[in-house]
Amino acid sequence: MLMRYKSKTLKVNVAVKSSVGLQWKGLEMGTLGVQVLCGDATLRQLAAADMPKCVINTLKWINIH
């Protein structure tokens, strides 16, 4: 079912979990789990390509804002 909204004030949150690896001259360093959390973005901001504030978490103690 396709939903359409007249008001674009609906706020959404985005959470992405992935892993990042490093390889240099055939030497693999392994992978590292990464989580990206973006919050409180309205549909109007997303339509205008206005990026919400995001936090990148890795190793459970490194947070990049």
Side-chain angles (χ1 to χ4, degrees), residues 4-63:
R4 298 182 190 264
Y5 296 97
K6 289 183 180 181
S7 173
K8 295 189 177 193
T9 58
L10 176 69
K11 291 188 176 185
V12 295
N13 294 320
V14 177
V16 177
K17 290 184 179 181
S18 186
S19 60
V20 177
L22 179 64
Q23 184 177 7
W24 183 65
K25 293 187 179 181
L27 178 64
E28 290 188 28
M29 301 293 180
T31 60
L32 181 65
V34 176
Q35 183 177 11
V36 180
L37 302 170
C38 300
D40 293 339
T42 63
L43 295 177
R44 180 173 291 145
Q45 287 174 323
L46 295 176
D50 187 17
M51 291 297 298
K53 291 187 177 183
C54 297
V55 176
I56 301 171
N57 297 324
T58 186
L59 295 176
K60 295 186 180 181
W61 56 274
I62 297 175
N63 298 319

